[in-house]
């Protein structure tokens, strides 16, 4: 889908304000994984972005399915009208 953002050669710095407890959790969990907090947050953001994209795809698919069903229903009515006139 998208290139891995962490693999990009161009980087930008983002600053995040977070409650002390959240910052401590990020540091702790990053340590469990053996990565620094920045890498941990990058991964978390990438995962969230992937979930958001998947949700958008599902929503678009449902909307398209509803439109297709409505069009098919409309065509079914039109075909039935032509067959009844014989």
């Amino acid at each position: 889908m998208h290139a891995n953002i962490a693999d990009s050669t161009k980087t930008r710095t983002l600053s995040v304000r977070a409650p002390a407890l959240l910052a401590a959790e990020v540091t702790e969990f990053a340590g469990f994984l053996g990565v620094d907090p920045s890498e941990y947050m990058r991964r978390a953001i990438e995962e969230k972005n992937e979930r958001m994209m998947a949700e958008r795809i599902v929503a678009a698919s449902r909307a398209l399915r509803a439109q297709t069903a409505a069009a098919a229903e409309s065509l079914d009515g039109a075909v039935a009208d032509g067959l009844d006139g014989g």
Side-chain angles (χ1 to χ4, degrees), residues 5 40-56:
I5 295 171
Y40 181 82
M41 288 188 291
R42 257 192 307 278
R43 291 178 186 181
I45 292 167
E46 286 177 347
E47 289 175 16
K48 177 65 174 176
N49 287 349
E50 288 172 7
R51 283 193 307 272
M52 291 294 295
M53 182 59 73
E55 289 174 15
R56 290 178 66 188

Side-chain angles (χ1 to χ4, degrees), residues 10-80:
K10 295 181 181 181
T11 62
R12 291 187 55 192
T13 299
L14 301 175
S15 297
V16 177
R17 293 190 186 274
L21 179 60
L22 178 59
E25 289 173 341
V26 166
T27 301
E28 181 180 0
F29 293 141
F32 289 148
L33 293 174
V35 299
D36 65 26
S38 292
E39 177 64 19
Y40 181 82
M41 288 188 291
R42 257 192 307 278
R43 291 178 186 181
I45 292 167
E46 286 177 347
E47 289 175 16
K48 177 65 174 176
N49 287 349
E50 288 172 7
R51 283 193 307 272
M52 291 294 295
M53 182 59 73
E55 289 174 15
R56 290 178 66 188
I57 290 169
V58 167
S61 177
R62 286 182 180 149
L64 182 58
R65 190 175 337 139
Q67 291 174 357
T68 302
E73 193 173 306
S74 175
L75 289 176
D76 285 345
V79 170

